[in-house]
Amino acid sequence: MDTENLKIQIKTFFGLEPILAEEVKKLGGRNVELKNRAVNCEGDLGFLYKVNYSARTALKVLVPIDEFKAYNETKYYDKLFKFEWDEFMDVNQTFAIDSTVNSERFSHSQFMTFKMKDAIVDYFQNKYGKRPSIETKSPDIKFHLHIDRELVTISLDSSGDALFKRGYRKEQGEAPINEVLASGMLQLAGWDGKGNFLDPMCGSGTLLIEAAMIALDLPAQTFRKRFGFQNWKNYDADLFSKIKEVRINRVREFTGKIVGYDIDGRMLNAAEANIESAEMEDIIEVRRENFFDTKKDLFPLLMVFNPPYDERISINDDDFYKKIGDTFKTSYPNTLAWLISSDLEAVKKIGLRPSRKIKLFNGKLETRFLQYEMYEGTKKLHKLENKED
Protein backbone atom coordinates (compact mmCIF):
# COMPACT_ATOMS: atom_id res chain seq x y z
CA MET A 1 0.00 0.00 0.00
CA ASP A 2 1.40 3.40 -1.08
CA THR A 3 0.85 5.38 2.13
CA GLU A 4 1.83 8.72 0.52
CA ASN A 5 -0.85 8.64 -2.20
CA LEU A 6 -3.84 6.77 -0.83
CA LYS A 7 -7.08 6.93 -2.79
CA ILE A 8 -9.79 7.52 -0.18
CA GLN A 9 -13.59 7.49 -0.23
CA ILE A 10 -15.40 9.18 2.65
CA LYS A 11 -19.09 8.36 3.12
CA THR A 12 -21.67 10.85 4.34
CA PHE A 13 -25.42 11.52 4.25
CA PHE A 14 -27.27 12.85 1.21
CA GLY A 15 -27.11 16.66 1.17
CA LEU A 16 -23.98 16.93 3.33
CA GLU A 17 -21.46 16.25 0.52
CA PRO A 18 -20.44 19.95 0.08
CA ILE A 19 -19.93 20.37 3.84
CA LEU A 20 -17.77 17.22 3.98
CA ALA A 21 -15.78 18.36 0.91
CA GLU A 22 -14.91 21.63 2.71
CA GLU A 23 -13.84 19.70 5.82
CA VAL A 24 -11.69 17.38 3.68
CA LYS A 25 -9.96 20.31 1.95
CA LYS A 26 -9.23 22.02 5.27
CA LEU A 27 -7.70 18.79 6.61
CA GLY A 28 -5.39 18.54 3.58
CA GLY A 29 -7.22 16.18 1.20
CA ARG A 30 -6.08 16.41 -2.43
CA ASN A 31 -8.10 16.11 -5.69
CA VAL A 32 -11.40 16.38 -3.83
CA GLU A 33 -14.45 15.14 -5.79
CA LEU A 34 -18.10 15.22 -4.74
CA LYS A 35 -20.04 11.98 -5.27
CA ASN A 36 -23.50 10.83 -4.22
CA ARG A 37 -23.38 10.45 -0.41
CA ALA A 38 -19.57 10.48 -0.56
CA VAL A 39 -16.45 12.52 -1.20
CA ASN A 40 -13.45 11.02 -3.01
CA CYS A 41 -9.94 12.39 -2.45
CA GLU A 42 -6.28 11.50 -2.09
CA GLY A 43 -4.01 11.85 0.92
CA ASP A 44 -1.26 10.26 2.96
CA LEU A 45 -1.52 8.11 6.10
CA GLY A 46 -1.51 11.20 8.33
CA PHE A 47 -4.47 12.64 6.42
CA LEU A 48 -6.32 9.33 6.81
CA TYR A 49 -5.87 9.55 10.59
CA LYS A 50 -6.83 13.25 10.62
CA VAL A 51 -10.04 12.81 8.64
CA ASN A 52 -11.18 9.95 10.90
CA TYR A 53 -10.39 11.93 14.03
CA SER A 54 -11.65 15.36 13.04
CA ALA A 55 -14.20 15.34 10.18
CA ARG A 56 -17.64 16.02 11.65
CA THR A 57 -19.73 14.93 8.66
CA ALA A 58 -17.82 11.72 7.79
CA LEU A 59 -19.62 8.41 8.36
CA LYS A 60 -16.92 6.00 7.09
CA VAL A 61 -13.45 6.43 5.63
CA LEU A 62 -12.70 3.73 3.06
CA VAL A 63 -9.44 2.93 1.23
CA PRO A 64 -10.00 0.94 -2.02
CA ILE A 65 -7.42 -1.87 -2.34
CA ASP A 66 -8.71 -3.85 -5.35
CA GLU A 67 -11.01 -3.32 -8.30
CA PHE A 68 -12.01 -5.73 -11.06
CA LYS A 69 -14.86 -6.73 -13.36
CA ALA A 70 -16.69 -10.03 -12.83
CA TYR A 71 -19.37 -11.44 -15.11
CA ASN A 72 -20.23 -14.55 -13.09
CA GLU A 73 -19.81 -15.95 -9.58
CA THR A 74 -16.91 -18.26 -10.52
CA LYS A 75 -14.85 -15.41 -11.95
CA TYR A 76 -15.74 -13.27 -8.91
CA TYR A 77 -14.53 -15.96 -6.47
CA ASP A 78 -11.35 -16.67 -8.51
CA LYS A 79 -10.33 -13.01 -8.55
CA LEU A 80 -10.86 -12.74 -4.79
CA PHE A 81 -9.02 -16.00 -4.07
CA LYS A 82 -5.95 -14.78 -6.00
CA PHE A 83 -5.81 -11.44 -4.15
CA GLU A 84 -2.97 -11.15 -1.58
CA TRP A 85 -5.06 -10.73 1.57
CA ASP A 86 -2.06 -11.23 3.86
CA GLU A 87 -0.79 -7.78 2.84
CA PHE A 88 -3.70 -6.31 4.77
CA MET A 89 -4.45 -8.75 7.57
CA ASP A 90 -2.85 -11.49 9.60
CA VAL A 91 -4.24 -15.04 9.77
CA ASN A 92 -4.74 -14.56 13.54
CA GLN A 93 -6.86 -11.42 13.10
CA THR A 94 -10.65 -11.48 12.93
CA PHE A 95 -12.48 -9.82 10.04
CA ALA A 96 -15.92 -8.74 8.85
CA ILE A 97 -17.39 -7.59 5.54
CA ASP A 98 -19.89 -4.78 4.90
CA SER A 99 -21.45 -4.86 1.46
CA THR A 100 -23.37 -2.70 -1.00
CA VAL A 101 -24.57 -4.48 -4.13
CA ASN A 102 -26.27 -2.71 -7.03
CA SER A 103 -26.30 -5.28 -9.81
CA GLU A 104 -28.83 -7.29 -11.81
CA ARG A 105 -26.16 -9.93 -12.44
CA PHE A 106 -25.37 -10.35 -8.73
CA SER A 107 -28.66 -9.50 -7.06
CA HIS A 108 -28.17 -11.30 -3.73
CA SER A 109 -25.82 -9.17 -1.61
CA GLN A 110 -25.63 -11.67 1.25
CA PHE A 111 -24.53 -14.45 -1.11
CA MET A 112 -21.79 -12.23 -2.61
CA THR A 113 -20.59 -11.40 0.90
CA PHE A 114 -20.43 -15.13 1.77
CA LYS A 115 -18.45 -15.86 -1.43
CA MET A 116 -15.94 -13.12 -0.52
CA LYS A 117 -15.65 -14.51 3.02
CA ASP A 118 -15.02 -18.01 1.54
CA ALA A 119 -12.33 -16.65 -0.80
CA ILE A 120 -10.48 -14.92 2.08
CA VAL A 121 -10.67 -17.96 4.37
CA ASP A 122 -9.63 -20.32 1.53
CA TYR A 123 -6.68 -18.05 0.63
CA PHE A 124 -5.28 -18.27 4.18
CA GLN A 125 -6.05 -21.99 4.50
CA ASN A 126 -4.25 -22.66 1.22
CA LYS A 127 -1.19 -20.54 2.07
CA TYR A 128 -0.84 -21.01 5.86
CA GLY A 129 -2.92 -24.11 6.64
CA LYS A 130 -4.96 -21.97 9.02
CA ARG A 131 -8.24 -20.06 8.79
CA PRO A 132 -8.92 -16.54 10.11
CA SER A 133 -12.16 -16.07 12.06
CA ILE A 134 -15.19 -13.95 11.28
CA GLU A 135 -16.22 -11.48 14.01
CA THR A 136 -19.22 -9.33 13.13
CA LYS A 137 -19.46 -7.18 16.29
CA SER A 138 -15.90 -5.98 16.81
CA PRO A 139 -13.55 -7.29 14.11
CA ASP A 140 -9.85 -6.45 13.90
CA ILE A 141 -10.14 -5.75 10.17
CA LYS A 142 -13.24 -4.60 8.34
CA PHE A 143 -13.56 -4.86 4.55
CA HIS A 144 -16.14 -3.13 2.40
CA LEU A 145 -17.49 -4.85 -0.73
CA HIS A 146 -19.11 -2.65 -3.38
CA ILE A 147 -20.58 -4.12 -6.56
CA ASP A 148 -21.97 -1.79 -9.23
CA ARG A 149 -23.22 -3.92 -12.15
CA GLU A 150 -20.02 -5.86 -13.07
CA LEU A 151 -17.54 -3.60 -11.27
CA VAL A 152 -16.32 -4.98 -7.94
CA THR A 153 -14.47 -2.69 -5.51
CA ILE A 154 -12.89 -3.99 -2.30
CA SER A 155 -11.97 -1.42 0.34
CA LEU A 156 -10.45 -1.39 3.79
CA ASP A 157 -12.63 0.36 6.34
CA SER A 158 -10.26 2.62 8.28
CA SER A 159 -12.93 3.81 10.72
CA GLY A 160 -14.18 0.57 12.29
CA ASP A 161 -17.46 1.54 13.94
CA ALA A 162 -19.39 4.20 11.99
CA LEU A 163 -18.15 7.70 12.85
CA PHE A 164 -21.50 8.94 14.13
CA LYS A 165 -20.73 6.80 17.20
CA ARG A 166 -18.82 9.60 18.88
CA GLY A 167 -18.63 7.92 22.28
CA TYR A 168 -20.48 10.53 24.37
CA ARG A 169 -24.08 9.34 23.98
CA LYS A 170 -25.27 7.55 27.11
CA GLU A 171 -29.04 8.07 26.76
CA GLN A 172 -31.36 8.03 23.73
CA GLY A 173 -34.51 10.04 23.17
CA GLU A 174 -37.62 8.78 21.35
CA ALA A 175 -36.36 10.05 18.01
CA PRO A 176 -32.67 10.94 18.41
CA ILE A 177 -30.95 12.68 15.54
CA ASN A 178 -27.76 11.11 14.22
CA GLU A 179 -24.61 12.94 15.36
CA VAL A 180 -23.23 13.32 11.82
CA LEU A 181 -26.56 14.67 10.55
CA ALA A 182 -26.75 17.05 13.54
CA SER A 183 -23.29 18.44 12.84
CA GLY A 184 -24.07 18.77 9.12
CA MET A 185 -27.27 20.69 9.90
CA LEU A 186 -25.37 23.08 12.18
CA GLN A 187 -22.74 23.73 9.53
CA LEU A 188 -25.41 24.23 6.82
CA ALA A 189 -27.06 26.73 9.19
CA GLY A 190 -23.77 28.64 9.46
CA TRP A 191 -23.00 27.89 13.12
CA ASP A 192 -19.35 28.73 13.77
CA GLY A 193 -19.36 29.28 17.53
CA LYS A 194 -19.75 33.05 17.30
CA GLY A 195 -22.83 34.32 19.13
CA ASN A 196 -25.41 32.18 20.92
CA PHE A 197 -27.22 28.96 20.07
CA LEU A 198 -30.66 27.67 21.07
CA ASP A 199 -32.28 24.28 20.51
CA PRO A 200 -35.83 24.84 21.80
CA MET A 201 -36.82 21.16 21.61
CA CYS A 202 -33.51 19.59 22.54
CA GLY A 203 -34.52 15.98 23.30
CA SER A 204 -31.43 14.03 24.39
CA GLY A 205 -29.11 16.92 23.50
CA THR A 206 -27.29 15.84 20.32
CA LEU A 207 -27.57 19.21 18.52
CA LEU A 208 -26.41 21.00 21.70
CA ILE A 209 -23.32 18.81 22.11
CA GLU A 210 -22.38 19.00 18.42
CA ALA A 211 -22.86 22.80 18.57
CA ALA A 212 -20.53 22.96 21.57
CA MET A 213 -17.92 20.80 19.82
CA ILE A 214 -17.96 23.17 16.82
CA ALA A 215 -17.81 26.24 19.10
CA LEU A 216 -14.75 24.85 20.93
CA ASP A 217 -13.25 23.40 17.72
CA LEU A 218 -13.07 20.08 19.55
CA PRO A 219 -12.30 17.12 17.22
CA ALA A 220 -15.39 15.03 16.40
CA GLN A 221 -13.85 11.82 17.81
CA THR A 222 -12.36 13.24 21.03
CA PHE A 223 -14.24 10.60 23.07
CA ARG A 224 -13.71 7.64 20.74
CA LYS A 225 -11.49 4.81 21.98
CA ARG A 226 -10.68 2.82 18.80
CA PHE A 227 -10.41 3.18 15.03
CA GLY A 228 -10.14 0.41 12.43
CA PHE A 229 -6.75 1.64 11.16
CA GLN A 230 -5.19 0.90 14.57
CA ASN A 231 -5.26 -2.83 13.67
CA TRP A 232 -3.62 -2.36 10.26
CA LYS A 233 -0.14 -3.70 9.56
CA ASN A 234 1.15 -0.21 8.72
CA TYR A 235 -0.35 1.54 11.78
CA ASP A 236 1.92 4.37 12.98
CA ALA A 237 1.01 4.96 16.64
CA ASP A 238 3.48 7.87 17.04
CA LEU A 239 2.05 9.68 14.03
CA PHE A 240 -1.53 9.28 15.28
CA SER A 241 -0.51 10.46 18.75
CA LYS A 242 1.09 13.62 17.28
CA ILE A 243 -2.00 14.33 15.15
CA LYS A 244 -4.26 14.09 18.20
CA GLU A 245 -1.97 16.34 20.23
CA VAL A 246 -1.83 19.05 17.54
CA ARG A 247 -5.62 18.95 17.13
CA ILE A 248 -6.35 19.14 20.87
CA ASN A 249 -3.97 22.11 21.19
CA ARG A 250 -6.15 24.00 18.71
CA VAL A 251 -9.22 23.89 20.99
CA ARG A 252 -10.45 27.46 21.54
CA GLU A 253 -12.39 29.37 24.17
CA PHE A 254 -16.11 29.96 23.69
CA THR A 255 -17.73 33.08 25.16
CA GLY A 256 -21.33 32.66 23.96
CA LYS A 257 -24.17 30.55 25.34
CA ILE A 258 -25.54 27.22 24.17
CA VAL A 259 -29.01 26.58 25.59
CA GLY A 260 -31.54 23.79 25.22
CA TYR A 261 -35.22 23.70 26.19
CA ASP A 262 -37.49 20.70 26.44
CA ILE A 263 -40.95 20.23 27.91
CA ASP A 264 -40.25 16.60 28.89
CA GLY A 265 -38.33 16.05 32.16
CA ARG A 266 -37.19 12.56 31.07
CA MET A 267 -35.64 14.04 27.93
CA LEU A 268 -33.83 16.67 29.96
CA ASN A 269 -32.41 13.94 32.22
CA ALA A 270 -31.15 12.12 29.10
CA ALA A 271 -29.68 15.37 27.74
CA GLU A 272 -27.94 16.09 31.04
CA ALA A 273 -26.43 12.58 31.13
CA ASN A 274 -25.08 13.00 27.58
CA ILE A 275 -23.79 16.52 28.26
CA GLU A 276 -21.98 15.27 31.36
CA SER A 277 -20.53 12.35 29.37
CA ALA A 278 -19.25 14.88 26.79
CA GLU A 279 -17.79 17.00 29.64
CA MET A 280 -19.82 20.01 28.46
CA GLU A 281 -21.67 20.98 31.68
CA ASP A 282 -19.85 24.34 31.80
CA ILE A 283 -20.72 25.12 28.17
CA ILE A 284 -24.32 23.91 27.74
CA GLU A 285 -27.36 24.90 29.79
CA VAL A 286 -30.64 22.93 29.59
CA ARG A 287 -33.95 24.09 31.04
CA ARG A 288 -37.42 22.62 31.32
CA GLU A 289 -39.40 25.05 29.18
CA ASN A 290 -42.31 24.96 26.77
CA PHE A 291 -40.86 26.77 23.73
CA PHE A 292 -44.30 28.26 23.01
CA ASP A 293 -44.19 30.14 26.34
CA THR A 294 -40.64 31.51 25.91
CA LYS A 295 -39.24 34.82 24.68
CA LYS A 296 -35.89 35.59 23.12
CA ASP A 297 -33.27 36.45 25.76
CA LEU A 298 -30.02 35.83 23.85
CA PHE A 299 -28.60 38.26 21.26
CA PRO A 300 -27.39 37.48 18.59
CA LEU A 301 -29.07 34.07 18.28
CA LEU A 302 -29.05 31.11 15.93
CA MET A 303 -31.79 28.51 16.48
CA VAL A 304 -31.64 24.97 15.07
CA PHE A 305 -34.00 22.18 16.09
CA ASN A 306 -35.55 18.85 15.28
CA PRO A 307 -39.25 19.09 16.17
CA PRO A 308 -41.25 15.87 16.48
CA TYR A 309 -42.49 14.96 13.00
CA ASP A 310 -42.98 11.26 12.49
CA GLU A 311 -44.82 8.20 13.72
CA ARG A 312 -42.53 7.75 16.75
CA ILE A 313 -43.93 10.82 18.50
CA SER A 314 -47.62 11.66 18.33
CA ILE A 315 -48.53 15.34 18.12
CA ASN A 316 -51.35 17.31 16.53
CA ASP A 317 -49.21 18.41 13.58
CA ASP A 318 -51.22 21.35 12.27
CA ASP A 319 -51.72 22.98 15.66
CA PHE A 320 -48.14 22.22 16.72
CA TYR A 321 -46.53 23.79 13.64
CA LYS A 322 -48.88 26.79 13.76
CA LYS A 323 -47.66 27.40 17.35
CA ILE A 324 -44.02 27.23 16.15
CA GLY A 325 -44.81 29.97 13.59
CA ASP A 326 -46.67 32.10 16.13
CA THR A 327 -43.77 31.83 18.61
CA PHE A 328 -41.26 32.75 15.90
CA LYS A 329 -43.28 35.84 14.93
CA THR A 330 -44.21 37.15 18.39
CA SER A 331 -41.26 36.15 20.60
CA TYR A 332 -38.09 35.77 18.49
CA PRO A 333 -37.42 38.96 16.48
CA ASN A 334 -34.12 39.24 14.57
CA THR A 335 -33.52 35.51 14.75
CA LEU A 336 -32.36 33.00 12.19
CA ALA A 337 -34.17 29.70 12.84
CA TRP A 338 -33.73 26.35 11.13
CA LEU A 339 -35.79 23.21 11.60
CA ILE A 340 -35.85 19.76 10.02
CA SER A 341 -39.13 17.99 9.20
CA SER A 342 -40.47 15.18 7.04
CA ASP A 343 -44.04 16.48 7.33
CA LEU A 344 -44.03 18.87 4.38
CA GLU A 345 -47.76 19.60 4.66
CA ALA A 346 -47.66 20.40 8.37
CA VAL A 347 -44.73 22.84 8.05
CA LYS A 348 -46.93 25.04 5.82
CA LYS A 349 -48.93 25.81 9.00
CA ILE A 350 -45.90 27.71 10.33
CA GLY A 351 -47.25 30.57 8.23
CA LEU A 352 -43.85 31.91 7.18
CA ARG A 353 -42.15 31.36 3.87
CA PRO A 354 -38.81 29.55 4.38
CA SER A 355 -35.89 31.48 2.89
CA ARG A 356 -33.98 28.23 2.23
CA LYS A 357 -34.98 24.57 1.78
CA ILE A 358 -32.39 21.78 1.78
CA LYS A 359 -33.29 18.15 1.12
CA LEU A 360 -31.80 15.79 3.73
CA PHE A 361 -32.53 12.28 4.98
CA ASN A 362 -33.02 11.44 8.65
CA GLY A 363 -32.53 7.68 8.51
CA LYS A 364 -34.83 6.57 5.68
CA LEU A 365 -37.16 9.57 6.11
CA GLU A 366 -36.88 12.20 3.39
CA THR A 367 -36.91 15.60 5.10
CA ARG A 368 -36.45 19.30 4.40
CA PHE A 369 -34.12 21.47 6.42
CA LEU A 370 -35.87 24.85 6.43
CA GLN A 371 -34.53 28.31 7.23
CA TYR A 372 -36.81 31.04 8.61
CA GLU A 373 -35.70 34.64 9.03
CA MET A 374 -37.52 36.71 11.63
CA TYR A 375 -36.59 40.36 11.54
CA GLU A 376 -37.80 43.83 12.44
CA GLY A 377 -37.64 46.60 9.85
CA THR A 378 -37.75 46.26 6.11
CA LYS A 379 -36.85 43.14 4.17
CA LYS A 380 -34.63 45.21 1.88
CA LEU A 381 -32.53 46.51 4.78
CA HIS A 382 -32.25 43.00 6.21
CA LYS A 383 -30.97 41.64 2.90
CA LEU A 384 -28.36 44.43 2.69
CA GLU A 385 -27.13 43.60 6.21
CA ASN A 386 -26.88 39.93 5.24
CA LYS A 387 -24.77 40.78 2.20
CA GLU A 388 -22.36 42.81 4.33
CA ASP A 389 -21.95 39.82 6.70
Side-chain angles (χ1 to χ4, degrees), residues 60 62 76 95-101 109 112-113 116 135-136 139 141-147 153-155 157 160-162:
K60 284 264 172 202
L62 304 174
Y76 168 78
F95 74 97
I97 302 164
D98 281 342
S99 61
T100 309
V101 177
S109 65
M112 302 313 288
T113 309
M116 177 172 161
E135 167 58 63
T136 52
I141 304 290
K142 196 182 265 191
F143 295 106
H144 189 272
L145 163 67
H146 186 270
I147 304 178
T153 308
I154 308 296
S155 303
D157 182 344
D161 279 344

Side-chain angles (χ1 to χ4, degrees), residues 1-10 24 28-32 39-52 61-65 88 156 158 229 232 234-235 239:
M1 188 191 285
D2 176 2
T3 55
E4 291 302 309
N5 298 292
L6 295 168
K7 292 205 179 307
I8 298 167
Q9 181 170 74
I10 307 160
V24 167
R30 305 187 299 267
N31 300 327
V32 178
V39 168
N40 288 357
C41 66
E42 291 172 20
D44 59 14
L45 205 57
F47 168 76
L48 186 78
Y49 297 170
K50 272 195 281 188
V51 81
N52 270 289
V61 184
L62 304 174
V63 179
I65 53 173
F88 303 99
L156 272 173
S158 70
F229 60 72
W232 289 7
N234 63 5
Y235 174 51
L239 177 61

Side-chain angles (χ1 to χ4, degrees), residues 114-115 170 188 204 235:
F114 283 140
K115 290 294 277 185
K170 296 285 176 253
L188 285 168
S204 57
Y235 174 51

Side-chain angles (χ1 to χ4, degrees), residues 15 20 38 42 58 63 81 95 116 126 134 165 169 191-193 197 206 213 248 257 265 290 307 326 371 377-378:
L20 177 58
E42 291 172 20
V63 179
F81 178 70
F95 74 97
M116 177 172 161
N126 186 56
I134 310 282
K165 295 180 179 176
R169 192 199 283 276
W191 173 247
D192 59 2
F197 178 80
T206 307
M213 290 179 88
I248 290 294
K257 286 194 169 182
N290 182 343
D326 291 347
Q371 180 194 64
T378 68

